[in-house]
Amino acid sequence: MEIFIATANMHKVAEFKAMLEPLGYQIKSLNDLEENIEIEENGQSFEENALIKARYIAKRYHIPAISDDSGLEIDALNKQPGIYSARFLGHDTSYEYKNSQILKMMQDKKDRSCRFVCAIALCYPDGQEYVFQGTIEGNVAKKIEGPNGFGYDPIFYYEPFHTTLANVDPKLKNSVSHRHNALIKLLEHLNETK
Ligand code: ITT
């Protein structure tokens, strides 16, 4: 079965592929389309933004589509960057810079708790819509660490691994991540409705 993911983020595509291809699913994304699609994410929550992206593709191409809206919530920063994670300090700003700025903002904070949130929307061309949410709890690391993953992974300290999500094998990240936890719910739904 082919699954179309309404994302242009290559890192997300790679993670979805790693998790879904072994189960027999084929993954296509916005990067496989001939036209360049930009979808305005003007929702107020991860769920709303995920629905906006999947709905757009389902309606435009008359195919079932899924999407992923995700981000990092830091409790001591009023859950920022949250839904603005990709746009935080500028969309094209490097994550080296974004991550170092977050560490500065967290310098005096006692509470370093944070979480990654992922909302996966599934939209059908006939208007049926579903959203599945997954999270992973962690702490903002004291230093940037690890070559793997993407985005905020190098500052996401995950206690059970005693290091950041960027400092472990991607397979290990994919076995516990917010994306994995949301995906499990999507797969359960797909199995039930097969
Ligand atoms: P699409 O909208 O095309 O899917 P995007 O990168 O703009 O791509 P989002 O609006 O959902 O996606 O923003 C997600 C941001 O949250 C992402 O760019 C990272 O900064 C952060 N993020 C999400 N999941 C992450 C993960 O697993 N590891 C590290 N950072 C993550």
Side-chain angles (χ1 to χ4, degrees):
M1 181 182 161
E2 191 173 285
I3 294 191
F4 192 95
I5 306 185
T7 181
N9 182 322
M10 295 298 291
H11 302 285
K12 288 186 187 177
V13 175
E15 291 193 3
F16 276 109
K17 280 191 174 178
M19 294 187 279
L20 287 171
E21 282 182 348
L23 303 177
Y25 291 98
Q26 277 181 300
I27 303 305
K28 289 268 180 310
S29 74
L30 295 183
N31 302 317
D32 296 306
L33 297 175
E34 307 242 305
E35 54 182 342
N36 190 17
I37 301 273
E38 295 247 344
I39 307 169
E40 197 193 345
E41 295 176 35
N42 51 13
Q44 296 303 309
S45 63
F46 293 110
E47 289 88 345
E48 275 178 31
N49 281 336
L51 281 167
I52 287 169
K53 293 187 260 191
R55 191 183 290 143
Y56 182 93
I57 295 299
K59 289 247 160 79
R60 188 177 176 96
Y61 295 103
H62 309 286
I63 51 167
I66 68 167
S67 67
D68 165 314
D69 200 68
S70 45
L72 176 66
E73 288 183 350
I74 300 174
D75 291 328
L77 303 179
N78 293 322
K79 306 220 166 157
Q80 293 301 310
I83 60 167
Y84 301 104
S85 289
R87 292 164 268 178
F88 180 63
L89 300 176
H91 201 278
D92 297 327
T93 306
S94 76
Y95 276 89
E96 238 176 327
Y97 183 75
K98 293 189 195 201
N99 285 333
S100 66
Q101 287 305 109
I102 288 182
L103 292 195
K104 275 196 193 142
M105 292 161 82
M106 291 297 290
Q107 242 164 20
D108 305 327
K109 309 285 188 200
K110 268 205 173 135
D111 176 9
R112 303 187 73 84
S113 58
C114 63
R115 71 202 52 77
F116 277 129
V117 181
C118 173
I120 295 180
L122 165 66
C123 293
Y124 290 94
D126 68 3
Q128 282 183 80
E129 298 185 338
Y130 305 89
V131 190
F132 309 94
Q133 190 162 303
T135 58
I136 175 174
E137 297 287 331
N139 287 291
V140 178
K142 291 277 168 60
K143 57 180 191 321
I144 296 174
E145 203 164 17
N148 300 325
F150 69 100
Y152 301 102
D153 283 337
I155 58 163
F156 191 95
Y157 186 91
Y158 185 55
E159 188 60 48
F161 294 164
H162 306 296
T163 187
T164 66
L165 288 184
N167 212 18
V168 296
D169 189 296
K171 277 195 189 133
L172 205 50
K173 174 192 168 185
N174 288 343
S175 69
V176 295
S177 75
H178 49 316
R179 193 157 292 112
H180 167 268
N181 294 336
L183 195 58
I184 292 289
K185 295 180 187 171
L186 167 71
L187 290 174
E188 273 169 17
H189 169 85
L190 291 177
N191 278 336
E192 280 163 16
T193 53
K194 227 194 283 198

PDB file of all heavy atoms in Angstrom, residues 13-44:
ATOM      1  N   VAL A  13      10.534  12.480   6.184  1.00  0.00           N
ATOM      2  CA  VAL A  13      10.314  11.429   5.170  1.00  0.00           C
ATOM      3  C   VAL A  13      11.210  10.227   5.488  1.00  0.00           C
ATOM      4  O   VAL A  13      10.758   9.081   5.478  1.00  0.00           O
ATOM      5  CB  VAL A  13      10.608  11.959   3.746  1.00  0.00           C
ATOM      6  CG1 VAL A  13      10.507  10.830   2.731  1.00  0.00           C
ATOM      7  CG2 VAL A  13       9.646  13.076   3.375  1.00  0.00           C
ATOM      8  N   ALA A  14      12.478  10.503   5.807  1.00  0.00           N
ATOM      9  CA  ALA A  14      13.422   9.410   6.100  1.00  0.00           C
ATOM     10  C   ALA A  14      12.939   8.604   7.310  1.00  0.00           C
ATOM     11  O   ALA A  14      13.009   7.365   7.312  1.00  0.00           O
ATOM     12  CB  ALA A  14      14.813   9.974   6.355  1.00  0.00           C
ATOM     13  N   GLU A  15      12.425   9.293   8.332  1.00  0.00           N
ATOM     14  CA  GLU A  15      11.965   8.563   9.517  1.00  0.00           C
ATOM     15  C   GLU A  15      10.711   7.745   9.211  1.00  0.00           C
ATOM     16  O   GLU A  15      10.581   6.605   9.651  1.00  0.00           O
ATOM     17  CB  GLU A  15      11.720   9.538  10.683  1.00  0.00           C
ATOM     18  CG  GLU A  15      13.029  10.116  11.207  1.00  0.00           C
ATOM     19  CD  GLU A  15      12.913  10.837  12.552  1.00  0.00           C
ATOM     20  OE1 GLU A  15      11.814  10.868  13.146  1.00  0.00           O
ATOM     21  OE2 GLU A  15      13.933  11.363  12.997  1.00  0.00           O
ATOM     22  N   PHE A  16       9.785   8.331   8.454  1.00  0.00           N
ATOM     23  CA  PHE A  16       8.580   7.567   8.081  1.00  0.00           C
ATOM     24  C   PHE A  16       8.967   6.343   7.247  1.00  0.00           C
ATOM     25  O   PHE A  16       8.426   5.261   7.433  1.00  0.00           O
ATOM     26  CB  PHE A  16       7.586   8.441   7.311  1.00  0.00           C
ATOM     27  CG  PHE A  16       6.687   9.252   8.198  1.00  0.00           C
ATOM     28  CD1 PHE A  16       6.832  10.628   8.304  1.00  0.00           C
ATOM     29  CD2 PHE A  16       5.687   8.637   8.939  1.00  0.00           C
ATOM     30  CE1 PHE A  16       6.005  11.376   9.131  1.00  0.00           C
ATOM     31  CE2 PHE A  16       4.846   9.373   9.765  1.00  0.00           C
ATOM     32  CZ  PHE A  16       5.002  10.750   9.862  1.00  0.00           C
ATOM     33  N   LYS A  17       9.907   6.534   6.322  1.00  0.00           N
ATOM     34  CA  LYS A  17      10.345   5.402   5.490  1.00  0.00           C
ATOM     35  C   LYS A  17      10.941   4.301   6.361  1.00  0.00           C
ATOM     36  O   LYS A  17      10.621   3.132   6.206  1.00  0.00           O
ATOM     37  CB  LYS A  17      11.392   5.854   4.459  1.00  0.00           C
ATOM     38  CG  LYS A  17      10.763   6.528   3.259  1.00  0.00           C
ATOM     39  CD  LYS A  17      11.790   6.714   2.140  1.00  0.00           C
ATOM     40  CE  LYS A  17      11.080   7.248   0.914  1.00  0.00           C
ATOM     41  NZ  LYS A  17      11.920   7.515  -0.210  1.00  0.00           N
ATOM     42  N   ALA A  18      11.829   4.706   7.277  1.00  0.00           N
ATOM     43  CA  ALA A  18      12.498   3.717   8.127  1.00  0.00           C
ATOM     44  C   ALA A  18      11.472   2.941   8.958  1.00  0.00           C
ATOM     45  O   ALA A  18      11.641   1.746   9.209  1.00  0.00           O
ATOM     46  CB  ALA A  18      13.510   4.403   9.040  1.00  0.00           C
ATOM     47  N   MET A  19      10.399   3.610   9.367  1.00  0.00           N
ATOM     48  CA  MET A  19       9.426   2.933  10.227  1.00  0.00           C
ATOM     49  C   MET A  19       8.370   2.166   9.426  1.00  0.00           C
ATOM     50  O   MET A  19       7.871   1.149   9.881  1.00  0.00           O
ATOM     51  CB  MET A  19       8.745   3.960  11.155  1.00  0.00           C
ATOM     52  CG  MET A  19       9.716   4.582  12.171  1.00  0.00           C
ATOM     53  SD  MET A  19       8.919   5.637  13.406  1.00  0.00           S
ATOM     54  CE  MET A  19       8.732   7.167  12.514  1.00  0.00           C
ATOM     55  N   LEU A  20       8.033   2.642   8.225  1.00  0.00           N
ATOM     56  CA  LEU A  20       6.902   2.044   7.491  1.00  0.00           C
ATOM     57  C   LEU A  20       7.299   1.077   6.373  1.00  0.00           C
ATOM     58  O   LEU A  20       6.552   0.145   6.086  1.00  0.00           O
ATOM     59  CB  LEU A  20       6.011   3.149   6.910  1.00  0.00           C
ATOM     60  CG  LEU A  20       5.164   3.903   7.938  1.00  0.00           C
ATOM     61  CD1 LEU A  20       4.492   5.104   7.286  1.00  0.00           C
ATOM     62  CD2 LEU A  20       4.118   2.984   8.565  1.00  0.00           C
ATOM     63  N   GLU A  21       8.459   1.293   5.754  1.00  0.00           N
ATOM     64  CA  GLU A  21       8.814   0.410   4.635  1.00  0.00           C
ATOM     65  C   GLU A  21       8.993  -1.051   5.067  1.00  0.00           C
ATOM     66  O   GLU A  21       8.558  -1.952   4.352  1.00  0.00           O
ATOM     67  CB  GLU A  21      10.053   0.951   3.895  1.00  0.00           C
ATOM     68  CG  GLU A  21       9.653   2.100   2.978  1.00  0.00           C
ATOM     69  CD  GLU A  21      10.795   2.675   2.150  1.00  0.00           C
ATOM     70  OE1 GLU A  21      11.979   2.359   2.425  1.00  0.00           O
ATOM     71  OE2 GLU A  21      10.492   3.469   1.246  1.00  0.00           O
ATOM     72  N   PRO A  22       9.584  -1.300   6.260  1.00  0.00           N
ATOM     73  CA  PRO A  22       9.683  -2.706   6.684  1.00  0.00           C
ATOM     74  C   PRO A  22       8.313  -3.368   6.852  1.00  0.00           C
ATOM     75  O   PRO A  22       8.204  -4.591   6.836  1.00  0.00           O
ATOM     76  CB  PRO A  22      10.404  -2.629   8.038  1.00  0.00           C
ATOM     77  CG  PRO A  22      11.105  -1.320   8.019  1.00  0.00           C
ATOM     78  CD  PRO A  22      10.261  -0.393   7.194  1.00  0.00           C
ATOM     79  N   LEU A  23       7.257  -2.559   7.001  1.00  0.00           N
ATOM     80  CA  LEU A  23       5.907  -3.123   7.144  1.00  0.00           C
ATOM     81  C   LEU A  23       5.218  -3.269   5.784  1.00  0.00           C
ATOM     82  O   LEU A  23       4.050  -3.642   5.704  1.00  0.00           O
ATOM     83  CB  LEU A  23       5.037  -2.231   8.053  1.00  0.00           C
ATOM     84  CG  LEU A  23       5.584  -1.977   9.463  1.00  0.00           C
ATOM     85  CD1 LEU A  23       4.674  -1.025  10.224  1.00  0.00           C
ATOM     86  CD2 LEU A  23       5.694  -3.307  10.219  1.00  0.00           C
ATOM     87  N   GLY A  24       5.943  -2.918   4.712  1.00  0.00           N
ATOM     88  CA  GLY A  24       5.384  -3.115   3.374  1.00  0.00           C
ATOM     89  C   GLY A  24       4.742  -1.875   2.773  1.00  0.00           C
ATOM     90  O   GLY A  24       4.158  -1.951   1.695  1.00  0.00           O
ATOM     91  N   TYR A  25       4.820  -0.742   3.459  1.00  0.00           N
ATOM     92  CA  TYR A  25       4.236   0.488   2.906  1.00  0.00           C
ATOM     93  C   TYR A  25       5.270   1.202   2.035  1.00  0.00           C
ATOM     94  O   TYR A  25       6.460   1.188   2.331  1.00  0.00           O
ATOM     95  CB  TYR A  25       3.809   1.438   4.035  1.00  0.00           C
ATOM     96  CG  TYR A  25       2.637   0.931   4.836  1.00  0.00           C
ATOM     97  CD1 TYR A  25       2.833   0.274   6.059  1.00  0.00           C
ATOM     98  CD2 TYR A  25       1.332   1.104   4.387  1.00  0.00           C
ATOM     99  CE1 TYR A  25       1.765  -0.190   6.805  1.00  0.00           C
ATOM    100  CE2 TYR A  25       0.246   0.642   5.133  1.00  0.00           C
ATOM    101  CZ  TYR A  25       0.475   0.001   6.337  1.00  0.00           C
ATOM    102  OH  TYR A  25      -0.589  -0.463   7.073  1.00  0.00           O
ATOM    103  N   GLN A  26       4.769   1.840   0.963  1.00  0.00           N
ATOM    104  CA  GLN A  26       5.638   2.677   0.123  1.00  0.00           C
ATOM    105  C   GLN A  26       5.325   4.131   0.430  1.00  0.00           C
ATOM    106  O   GLN A  26       4.149   4.507   0.476  1.00  0.00           O
ATOM    107  CB  GLN A  26       5.345   2.438  -1.350  1.00  0.00           C
ATOM    108  CG  GLN A  26       6.033   1.233  -1.923  1.00  0.00           C
ATOM    109  CD  GLN A  26       5.695   1.121  -3.398  1.00  0.00           C
ATOM    110  OE1 GLN A  26       4.526   1.001  -3.752  1.00  0.00           O
ATOM    111  NE2 GLN A  26       6.698   1.184  -4.230  1.00  0.00           N
ATOM    112  N   ILE A  27       6.366   4.923   0.608  1.00  0.00           N
ATOM    113  CA  ILE A  27       6.168   6.313   1.025  1.00  0.00           C
ATOM    114  C   ILE A  27       6.422   7.282  -0.121  1.00  0.00           C
ATOM    115  O   ILE A  27       7.456   7.225  -0.780  1.00  0.00           O
ATOM    116  CB  ILE A  27       7.154   6.659   2.174  1.00  0.00           C
ATOM    117  CG1 ILE A  27       6.964   5.693   3.340  1.00  0.00           C
ATOM    118  CG2 ILE A  27       6.963   8.097   2.640  1.00  0.00           C
ATOM    119  CD1 ILE A  27       5.569   5.620   3.864  1.00  0.00           C
ATOM    120  N   LYS A  28       5.458   8.166  -0.325  1.00  0.00           N
ATOM    121  CA  LYS A  28       5.643   9.266  -1.289  1.00  0.00           C
ATOM    122  C   LYS A  28       5.434  10.569  -0.505  1.00  0.00           C
ATOM    123  O   LYS A  28       4.674  10.597   0.467  1.00  0.00           O
ATOM    124  CB  LYS A  28       4.603   9.183  -2.411  1.00  0.00           C
ATOM    125  CG  LYS A  28       4.815   8.027  -3.374  1.00  0.00           C
ATOM    126  CD  LYS A  28       5.674   8.492  -4.537  1.00  0.00           C
ATOM    127  CE  LYS A  28       5.981   7.470  -5.588  1.00  0.00           C
ATOM    128  NZ  LYS A  28       6.484   6.201  -5.233  1.00  0.00           N
ATOM    129  N   SER A  29       6.101  11.650  -0.971  1.00  0.00           N
ATOM    130  CA  SER A  29       5.950  12.911  -0.250  1.00  0.00           C
ATOM    131  C   SER A  29       5.842  14.069  -1.233  1.00  0.00           C
ATOM    132  O   SER A  29       5.920  13.866  -2.448  1.00  0.00           O
ATOM    133  CB  SER A  29       7.151  13.128   0.674  1.00  0.00           C
ATOM    134  OG  SER A  29       8.271  13.481  -0.112  1.00  0.00           O
ATOM    135  N   LEU A  30       5.731  15.271  -0.715  1.00  0.00           N
ATOM    136  CA  LEU A  30       5.641  16.460  -1.572  1.00  0.00           C
ATOM    137  C   LEU A  30       6.840  16.552  -2.516  1.00  0.00           C
ATOM    138  O   LEU A  30       6.743  17.099  -3.604  1.00  0.00           O
ATOM    139  CB  LEU A  30       5.579  17.740  -0.723  1.00  0.00           C
ATOM    140  CG  LEU A  30       4.347  17.937   0.182  1.00  0.00           C
ATOM    141  CD1 LEU A  30       4.417  19.292   0.880  1.00  0.00           C
ATOM    142  CD2 LEU A  30       3.065  17.852  -0.636  1.00  0.00           C
ATOM    143  N   ASN A  31       7.969  15.984  -2.069  1.00  0.00           N
ATOM    144  CA  ASN A  31       9.172  16.039  -2.908  1.00  0.00           C
ATOM    145  C   ASN A  31       9.044  15.196  -4.177  1.00  0.00           C
ATOM    146  O   ASN A  31       9.830  15.346  -5.098  1.00  0.00           O
ATOM    147  CB  ASN A  31      10.394  15.565  -2.103  1.00  0.00           C
ATOM    148  CG  ASN A  31      10.592  16.398  -0.859  1.00  0.00           C
ATOM    149  OD1 ASN A  31      10.480  17.609  -0.904  1.00  0.00           O
ATOM    150  ND2 ASN A  31      10.841  15.759   0.272  1.00  0.00           N
ATOM    151  N   ASP A  32       8.053  14.286  -4.229  1.00  0.00           N
ATOM    152  CA  ASP A  32       7.862  13.448  -5.420  1.00  0.00           C
ATOM    153  C   ASP A  32       6.910  14.087  -6.427  1.00  0.00           C
ATOM    154  O   ASP A  32       6.673  13.527  -7.487  1.00  0.00           O
ATOM    155  CB  ASP A  32       7.310  12.071  -5.009  1.00  0.00           C
ATOM    156  CG  ASP A  32       8.302  11.312  -4.146  1.00  0.00           C
ATOM    157  OD1 ASP A  32       9.451  11.154  -4.594  1.00  0.00           O
ATOM    158  OD2 ASP A  32       7.950  10.922  -3.016  1.00  0.00           O
ATOM    159  N   LEU A  33       6.341  15.235  -6.080  1.00  0.00           N
ATOM    160  CA  LEU A  33       5.389  15.883  -6.989  1.00  0.00           C
ATOM    161  C   LEU A  33       6.132  16.756  -7.993  1.00  0.00           C
ATOM    162  O   LEU A  33       7.212  17.259  -7.710  1.00  0.00           O
ATOM    163  CB  LEU A  33       4.406  16.768  -6.200  1.00  0.00           C
ATOM    164  CG  LEU A  33       3.493  16.057  -5.205  1.00  0.00           C
ATOM    165  CD1 LEU A  33       2.674  17.088  -4.433  1.00  0.00           C
ATOM    166  CD2 LEU A  33       2.579  15.079  -5.932  1.00  0.00           C
ATOM    167  N   GLU A  34       5.520  16.929  -9.164  1.00  0.00           N
ATOM    168  CA  GLU A  34       6.141  17.778 -10.194  1.00  0.00           C
ATOM    169  C   GLU A  34       6.047  19.240  -9.790  1.00  0.00           C
ATOM    170  O   GLU A  34       6.943  20.024 -10.038  1.00  0.00           O
ATOM    171  CB  GLU A  34       5.418  17.591 -11.525  1.00  0.00           C
ATOM    172  CG  GLU A  34       5.324  16.126 -11.938  1.00  0.00           C
ATOM    173  CD  GLU A  34       6.031  15.848 -13.239  1.00  0.00           C
ATOM    174  OE1 GLU A  34       5.706  16.528 -14.208  1.00  0.00           O
ATOM    175  OE2 GLU A  34       6.903  14.937 -13.241  1.00  0.00           O
ATOM    176  N   GLU A  35       4.916  19.612  -9.159  1.00  0.00           N
ATOM    177  CA  GLU A  35       4.751  21.029  -8.799  1.00  0.00           C
ATOM    178  C   GLU A  35       5.257  21.278  -7.369  1.00  0.00           C
ATOM    179  O   GLU A  35       5.342  20.367  -6.554  1.00  0.00           O
ATOM    180  CB  GLU A  35       3.290  21.468  -8.937  1.00  0.00           C
ATOM    181  CG  GLU A  35       2.306  20.612  -8.183  1.00  0.00           C
ATOM    182  CD  GLU A  35       0.872  21.065  -8.381  1.00  0.00           C
ATOM    183  OE1 GLU A  35       0.650  22.210  -8.812  1.00  0.00           O
ATOM    184  OE2 GLU A  35      -0.025  20.267  -8.079  1.00  0.00           O
ATOM    185  N   ASN A  36       5.603  22.536  -7.146  1.00  0.00           N
ATOM    186  CA  ASN A  36       6.113  22.922  -5.838  1.00  0.00           C
ATOM    187  C   ASN A  36       4.948  23.409  -4.972  1.00  0.00           C
ATOM    188  O   ASN A  36       4.366  24.444  -5.243  1.00  0.00           O
ATOM    189  CB  ASN A  36       7.136  24.046  -6.046  1.00  0.00           C
ATOM    190  CG  ASN A  36       7.896  24.338  -4.781  1.00  0.00           C
ATOM    191  OD1 ASN A  36       7.888  23.516  -3.855  1.00  0.00           O
ATOM    192  ND2 ASN A  36       8.516  25.502  -4.715  1.00  0.00           N
ATOM    193  N   ILE A  37       4.616  22.635  -3.954  1.00  0.00           N
ATOM    194  CA  ILE A  37       3.445  22.965  -3.140  1.00  0.00           C
ATOM    195  C   ILE A  37       3.883  23.618  -1.837  1.00  0.00           C
ATOM    196  O   ILE A  37       4.715  23.081  -1.117  1.00  0.00           O
ATOM    197  CB  ILE A  37       2.666  21.679  -2.780  1.00  0.00           C
ATOM    198  CG1 ILE A  37       2.217  20.948  -4.038  1.00  0.00           C
ATOM    199  CG2 ILE A  37       1.507  21.985  -1.849  1.00  0.00           C
ATOM    200  CD1 ILE A  37       0.915  21.387  -4.590  1.00  0.00           C
ATOM    201  N   GLU A  38       3.322  24.780  -1.525  1.00  0.00           N
ATOM    202  CA  GLU A  38       3.574  25.424  -0.222  1.00  0.00           C
ATOM    203  C   GLU A  38       2.237  25.524   0.478  1.00  0.00           C
ATOM    204  O   GLU A  38       1.301  26.123  -0.060  1.00  0.00           O
ATOM    205  CB  GLU A  38       4.137  26.829  -0.436  1.00  0.00           C
ATOM    206  CG  GLU A  38       5.491  26.841  -1.098  1.00  0.00           C
ATOM    207  CD  GLU A  38       6.600  27.341  -0.193  1.00  0.00           C
ATOM    208  OE1 GLU A  38       6.288  27.961   0.848  1.00  0.00           O
ATOM    209  OE2 GLU A  38       7.770  27.097  -0.526  1.00  0.00           O
ATOM    210  N   ILE A  39       2.124  24.959   1.655  1.00  0.00           N
ATOM    211  CA  ILE A  39       0.854  24.989   2.367  1.00  0.00           C
ATOM    212  C   ILE A  39       1.011  25.896   3.586  1.00  0.00           C
ATOM    213  O   ILE A  39       1.913  25.693   4.399  1.00  0.00           O
ATOM    214  CB  ILE A  39       0.441  23.566   2.813  1.00  0.00           C
ATOM    215  CG1 ILE A  39       0.459  22.614   1.609  1.00  0.00           C
ATOM    216  CG2 ILE A  39      -0.948  23.586   3.467  1.00  0.00           C
ATOM    217  CD1 ILE A  39       0.331  21.146   1.961  1.00  0.00           C
ATOM    218  N   GLU A  40       0.145  26.887   3.693  1.00  0.00           N
ATOM    219  CA  GLU A  40       0.255  27.818   4.820  1.00  0.00           C
ATOM    220  C   GLU A  40      -0.271  27.153   6.092  1.00  0.00           C
ATOM    221  O   GLU A  40      -1.406  26.686   6.147  1.00  0.00           O
ATOM    222  CB  GLU A  40      -0.560  29.085   4.542  1.00  0.00           C
ATOM    223  CG  GLU A  40      -0.142  30.220   5.457  1.00  0.00           C
ATOM    224  CD  GLU A  40      -1.133  31.379   5.442  1.00  0.00           C
ATOM    225  OE1 GLU A  40      -1.977  31.434   4.540  1.00  0.00           O
ATOM    226  OE2 GLU A  40      -1.045  32.213   6.358  1.00  0.00           O
ATOM    227  N   GLU A  41       0.603  27.097   7.116  1.00  0.00           N
ATOM    228  CA  GLU A  41       0.206  26.460   8.375  1.00  0.00           C
ATOM    229  C   GLU A  41      -0.268  27.542   9.333  1.00  0.00           C
ATOM    230  O   GLU A  41       0.518  28.092  10.089  1.00  0.00           O
ATOM    231  CB  GLU A  41       1.401  25.715   8.981  1.00  0.00           C
ATOM    232  CG  GLU A  41       1.856  24.548   8.132  1.00  0.00           C
ATOM    233  CD  GLU A  41       3.106  23.875   8.675  1.00  0.00           C
ATOM    234  OE1 GLU A  41       3.273  23.787   9.898  1.00  0.00           O
ATOM    235  OE2 GLU A  41       3.927  23.452   7.845  1.00  0.00           O
ATOM    236  N   ASN A  42      -1.574  27.870   9.265  1.00  0.00           N
ATOM    237  CA  ASN A  42      -2.057  28.951  10.133  1.00  0.00           C
ATOM    238  C   ASN A  42      -2.944  28.448  11.263  1.00  0.00           C
ATOM    239  O   ASN A  42      -3.755  29.185  11.798  1.00  0.00           O
ATOM    240  CB  ASN A  42      -2.770  30.035   9.302  1.00  0.00           C
ATOM    241  CG  ASN A  42      -3.809  29.419   8.389  1.00  0.00           C
ATOM    242  OD1 ASN A  42      -4.140  28.254   8.559  1.00  0.00           O
ATOM    243  ND2 ASN A  42      -4.321  30.191   7.442  1.00  0.00           N
ATOM    244  N   GLY A  43      -2.791  27.173  11.619  1.00  0.00           N
ATOM    245  CA  GLY A  43      -3.555  26.625  12.739  1.00  0.00           C
ATOM    246  C   GLY A  43      -2.970  27.063  14.073  1.00  0.00           C
ATOM    247  O   GLY A  43      -1.866  27.614  14.135  1.00  0.00           O
ATOM    248  N   GLN A  44      -3.731  26.797  15.146  1.00  0.00           N
ATOM    249  CA  GLN A  44      -3.305  27.203  16.491  1.00  0.00           C
ATOM    250  C   GLN A  44      -2.798  26.026  17.317  1.00  0.00           C
ATOM    251  O   GLN A  44      -2.507  26.178  18.492  1.00  0.00           O
ATOM    252  CB  GLN A  44      -4.489  27.860  17.232  1.00  0.00           C
ATOM    253  CG  GLN A  44      -4.965  29.161  16.582  1.00  0.00           C
ATOM    254  CD  GLN A  44      -3.829  30.174  16.482  1.00  0.00           C
ATOM    255  OE1 GLN A  44      -3.139  30.452  17.457  1.00  0.00           O
ATOM    256  NE2 GLN A  44      -3.612  30.707  15.277  1.00  0.00           N
TER     257      GLN A  44
END
